[in-house]
Amino acid sequence: MKLKTLILTAALLLGAASANAAVDPNFYIFLCFGQSNMEGAARPEAQDLASPGPRFLLMPAVDFPDQGRKMGEWCEAVPPLCRPNTGLTPADWFGRTLVASLPDNIKIGVIHVAIGGIDIRGFLPDSIPSYVKRAPNWMTGMLAAYDNNPYERLVMLAKKAQKDGVIKGILMHQGETNTGDPKWAGMVQQVYDRLCGDLQLKPEEVNLYAGNIVQAGGQGVCIACKKQIDELPQTLHTSQVISSDDCTNGPDRLHFDAAGYRELGCRYGEAVARFLGYEPKRPHIDMPKKIEVPADAVTVENAIPGNEFPKVDKERRAYFRIEAPQARKVVVDVCSKKYDMQPDGKGAFMAVTDPLPVGFHYYFMNINGVNFIDPASETYFGCNREAGGIEIPEGPEGDYYRPQQGIAHGCVRSIYYPSYNDASVNDGAAQIENRKSAQIENRKSVNRKYTWRHALVYTPAEYETGKKRYPVLYLQHGMGEGETSWALQGKMQHIMDNAIAKGEAVPMIVVMESGDIKAPFNFAGGGSNQQGRSEYGASFYPVLLNDLIPYIDKNFRTKADRENRAMAGLSWGGHQTFDVVLQNLDKFAWMGTFSGAIFGLDVKTAYNGVFANADEFNKKIHYFYMNWGSDDFIKGQPLVDSLREMGIKVDASESAGTGHEFLTWRRGLHEFIPHLFKK
């Protein structure tokens, strides 16, 4: 019996010795918790994704299926550290800084639990159940990832990690949600004390390192929180505040950008290294490289004269430059991609893009979170506002929309005309449309309200030298653009001049109006956007029919009948074309759409069954055309097929390699006009 007892005692002692031997005193573990800036809101870049090696480890707090990570199992620490689909965090470069600063025999491990927008109460064990119940809907999935108890998840993993190494510090970035809360510092103290108690930590050996908030030059969204974080050591004496001074931020002025997270993370690491008795060393951070502009790059046609940039090279890459000596972050946004502009050290920023598609593109710049138009660019009304523009040149195939020597050129007039049917000054388009003809005739009464509206009118070159009358094309732009868009972005006048000069198109007048669609459609506010029952842009219909057309016929030498009147439009202007022409076949005989926004059209019943009698329709509409881009998000082929099944004659084409953009629409106009006003 004594022998068995001795054997059992020896086994227990060996087991205890073995368990103690598993704890590596040179494995330093740090707990990281907080809200979105600890969670990580910036997209990691190439240098962030390069693994720092086996000396910097992560114990995941959730599973990462795509990365093959399991909760509670150590792995190399590369972003994302928090949860799948989160971003770069201060902890990333905190760990790298310690790896650079501490001896090679010391490993660094982090456990990372953070939830965007969480109140400090979400980490207080006694408050968590009630907090979870009232948490906003957008937070519920994040809470659920930690089984609705982020504190318990952090402690559970910390206890497991203590079997491998020693907890040396706690990193926190939290406070934005509690801005102005006088109890915040006390609650942070409670969380810290609870962690020290649950994990049997000695406060004098385990500091709390609290990062400060985004300052954005004093314009940070939560700038009022800075003071309460700075004063945290007055309440929690073992806390140390990590400065965020001059850490760069994203455009929301709430989250750091990638460079800001790197800087803040390095500062966390430097503070910990000093506390541990080591001289801090910064890890290598790739600095922006100088952008070399090739000799073949030329200044784009959209640059305001006297400016060297923007430029475009033979690979269709665009180069942008702007003087902004006080800026911290500058971005250029073109073709649905944002490019960080790099400082040149002399007060200017530059960027080079990927190869861009040929044609015209809007672009914007952003300095420290504020969008603006590049002062070196001509401006164009698009995207519901004035915008910069850049033309990526085609080859000779684009000559049809370029001005040519040796031919006569028409004019684009800017006109103002009175509208007595503008719903903005009268009682609505619906009532105006229903007025009896006698009432319409009396609309010019001195008591009748009117407003001045703007339009552009193209007249062919020969218009100035004779008395001939001309057919008229009413040409509409798309949502968020204006009456100048076809002339400036679309180069309509050059297309017309060249086609007329070659004898491809008959001389005609072209009228362009805003169409009441400069502002975006209010999808959230309701309103029909179905064909024939549209509310968006429908206020233009009585203006067009009762004011603009009569004004044009009175003031220009037109052939004022349906046989000599056409309408066409791009995108929502195509929608308007369907609404107007198909309900006014007594006024129009030609129609076309370019990427027309025609959705859910029942060709058998639409517009009071206008397509049901194909023979009658084909007699009234002498030419019907539709085009769209091969990469367009609006495709017209299904509608074309449905119309053709009904016996409707409709010509159609797809613009190769283009999307919902002006190159598609230039090509469409070029193909459309040779068929107009010919029988």
Side-chain angles (χ1 to χ4, degrees):
M1 188 69 179
K2 290 182 178 180
L3 180 61
K4 288 184 178 180
T5 302
L6 288 171
I7 292 172
L8 179 59
T9 301
L12 290 172
L13 289 172
L14 287 171
S18 176
N20 289 332
V23 177
D24 181 356
N26 291 321
F27 186 14
Y28 293 178
I29 296 165
F30 297 85
L31 310 183
C32 308
F33 78 96
Q35 57 186 100
S36 56
N37 272 314
M38 183 57 80
E39 185 182 64
R43 184 172 62 181
E45 298 172 359
Q47 62 182 313
D48 309 309
L49 296 170
S51 173
R55 287 186 59 208
F56 181 28
L57 302 178
L58 167 73
M59 179 179 279
V62 298
D63 290 336
F64 288 69
D66 291 345
Q67 287 87 357
R69 299 176 182 174
K70 293 288 187 181
M71 182 180 70
E73 296 182 5
W74 291 109
C75 61
E76 291 189 8
V78 292
L81 302 185
C82 188
R83 296 187 308 279
N85 302 318
T86 55
L88 190 67
T89 85
D92 283 289
W93 285 83
F94 158 76
R96 293 166 192 253
T97 301
L98 286 186
V99 166
S101 302
L102 273 54
D104 291 346
N105 65 321
I106 296 178
K107 295 189 301 183
I108 308 301
V110 294
I111 300 171
H112 203 284
V113 175
I115 295 176
I118 194 168
D119 191 293
I120 192 62
R121 294 169 179 83
F123 289 100
L124 272 174
D126 296 337
S127 301
I128 289 171
S130 61
Y131 181 78
V132 169
K133 288 181 181 179
R134 67 176 189 275
N137 291 335
W138 52 264
M139 191 185 289
T140 56
M142 294 184 282
L143 286 165
Y146 303 115
D147 292 332
N148 290 319
N149 197 324
Y151 176 86
E152 181 58 35
R153 179 66 56 86
L154 185 63
V155 169
M156 178 190 74
L157 295 175
K159 288 180 177 179
K160 183 175 182 180
Q162 283 178 311
K163 297 176 182 179
D164 302 317
V166 183
I167 295 176
K168 290 287 188 177
I170 302 170
L171 278 57
M172 181 187 77
H173 200 289
Q174 197 281 333
E176 293 94 334
T177 298
N178 294 89
T179 299
D181 185 345
K183 297 180 180 180
W184 176 78
M187 289 186 285
V188 173
Q189 169 92 57
Q190 292 178 53
V191 175
Y192 174 77
D193 289 345
R194 190 67 177 262
L195 283 171
C196 289
D198 288 344
L199 299 173
Q200 298 181 11
L201 304 175
K202 297 179 179 179
E204 65 272 14
E205 296 178 357
V206 181
N207 275 352
L208 175 76
Y209 301 89
N212 222 314
I213 47 79
V214 165
Q215 297 185 46
Q219 300 300 312
V221 172
C222 297
I223 192 65
C225 186
K226 181 180 183 300
K227 184 174 184 291
Q228 72 186 41
I229 295 175
D230 284 337
E231 294 175 351
L232 179 62
Q234 297 176 18
T235 300
L236 179 55
H237 302 302
T238 52
S239 66
Q240 182 175 343
V241 175
I242 308 303
S243 171
S244 62
D245 291 357
D246 299 320
C247 287
T248 54
N249 56 274
D252 61 1
R253 294 180 291 113
L254 182 62
H255 299 100
F256 300 99
D257 60 13
Y261 282 119
R262 292 187 198 108
E263 177 61 29
L264 189 63
C266 288
R267 293 178 185 181
Y268 272 103
E270 290 167 340
V272 170
R274 291 189 186 98
F275 180 76
L276 295 174
Y278 297 98
E279 184 65 27
K281 295 180 182 177
R282 286 271 177 135
H284 172 75
I285 298 177
D286 291 334
M287 300 305 291
K289 297 178 180 177
K290 183 179 179 181
I291 295 174
E292 299 290 345
V293 181
D296 63 41
V298 297
T299 303
V300 299
E301 65 178 68
N302 317 84
I304 294 174
N307 288 277
E308 183 182 1
F309 292 88
K311 286 188 170 185
V312 62
D313 66 18
K314 64 181 180 181
E315 303 298 329
R316 305 197 312 275
R317 292 174 299 192
Y319 299 81
F320 298 93
R321 183 180 185 277
I322 186 167
E323 295 281 347
Q326 301 301 316
R328 292 188 178 91
K329 183 178 178 64
V330 185
V331 174
V332 62
D333 183 348
V334 59
C335 292
S336 302
K337 185 171 181 178
K338 294 179 173 63
Y339 298 87
D340 288 332
M341 300 186 74
Q342 308 300 335
D344 66 358
K346 301 178 181 178
F349 286 76
M350 287 190 66
V352 57
T353 70
D354 299 333
L356 301 177
V358 294
F360 174 88
H361 309 290
Y362 299 113
Y363 77 94
F364 298 94
M365 287 185 174
N366 183 295
I367 290 184
N368 299 341
V370 179
N371 280 325
F372 69 99
I373 304 169
D374 181 358
S377 170
E378 297 284 2
T379 56
Y380 305 84
F381 193 86
C383 309
N384 313 113
R385 56 167 290 184
E386 295 291 342
I390 185 169
E391 184 82 23
I392 307 301
E394 281 193 290
E397 68 273 17
D399 285 347
Y400 71 91
Y401 59 75
R402 298 184 180 114
Q404 302 295 322
Q405 290 185 342
I407 67 169
H409 298 279
C411 295
V412 178
R413 292 168 163 82
S414 173
I415 67 163
Y416 286 86
Y417 67 98
S419 171
Y420 299 87
N421 293 271
D422 192 321
S424 66
V425 297
N426 291 299
D427 53 353
Q431 290 102 325
I432 293 170
E433 275 193 296
N434 292 329
R435 281 196 176 90
K436 296 180 180 180
S437 58
Q439 291 175 303
I440 295 173
E441 286 300 317
N442 291 329
R443 68 185 184 275
K444 295 182 181 179
S445 163
V446 292
N447 296 321
R448 181 79 175 112
K449 295 180 180 179
Y450 68 92
T451 188
W452 290 101
R453 294 180 64 110
H454 184 228
L456 298 187
V457 180
Y458 166 85
T459 53
E462 65 180 50
Y463 183 89
E464 310 300 327
T465 59
K467 297 182 179 180
K468 179 181 173 181
R469 292 186 173 273
Y470 296 89
V472 184
L473 166 63
Y474 289 85
L475 185 62
Q476 291 304 116
H477 58 87
M479 180 187 297
E481 291 164 337
E483 63 271 26
T484 62
S485 297
W486 265 112
L488 297 181
Q489 295 96 297
K491 300 181 180 290
M492 171 280 313
Q493 63 273 33
H494 304 317
I495 296 173
M496 297 300 305
D497 287 343
N498 294 333
I500 292 170
K502 290 182 177 180
E504 296 172 350
V506 302
M508 67 186 79
I509 294 170
V510 182
V511 180
M512 295 150 284
E513 222 266 18
S514 76
D516 294 344
I517 56 174
K518 284 186 172 183
F521 178 74
N522 183 14
F523 292 97
S528 173
N529 67 347
Q530 296 180 15
Q531 285 73 21
R533 295 189 295 277
S534 304
E535 293 182 20
Y536 178 61
S539 56
F540 173 60
Y541 303 164
V543 173
L544 170 67
L545 297 172
N546 301 323
D547 293 316
L548 182 56
I549 290 176
Y551 180 89
I552 296 298
D553 287 341
K554 180 179 179 180
N555 291 277
F556 291 84
R557 299 195 309 275
T558 67
K559 295 180 178 179
D561 57 59
R562 71 173 299 275
E563 296 295 317
N564 291 284
R565 191 177 295 127
M567 186 172 180
L570 68 89
S571 195
W572 200 267
H575 184 116
Q576 292 182 305
T577 296
F578 263 54
D579 278 1
V580 171
V581 173
L582 297 177
Q583 297 182 100
N584 295 277
L585 291 176
D586 60 324
K587 295 179 175 64
F588 298 89
W590 318 78
M591 65 182 293
T593 67
F594 319 113
S595 302
I598 317 298
F599 307 117
L601 190 71
D602 183 347
V603 296
K604 295 180 181 179
T605 61
Y607 302 106
N608 297 317
V610 71
F611 299 120
N613 189 332
D615 290 340
E616 182 179 350
F617 180 87
N618 293 335
K619 288 178 183 177
K620 289 184 176 179
I621 295 296
H622 303 321
Y623 185 69
F624 183 7
Y625 172 83
M626 298 178 68
N627 101 310
W628 56 90
S630 61
D631 301 326
D632 211 323
F633 67 85
I634 295 179
K635 299 282 190 179
Q637 191 63 56
L639 178 56
V640 169
D641 293 341
S642 297
L643 290 168
R644 287 174 175 169
E645 288 175 5
M646 295 284 290
I648 301 298
K649 293 180 181 179
V650 53
D651 201 1
S653 68
E654 182 175 87
S655 171
T658 61
H660 204 71
E661 58 186 291
F662 265 100
L663 188 52
T664 298
W665 308 325
R666 291 173 188 172
R667 290 173 177 175
L669 181 63
H670 183 229
E671 294 180 0
F672 177 56
I673 56 175
H675 301 275
L676 295 182
F677 311 122
K678 298 177 182 178
K679 293 184 181 179

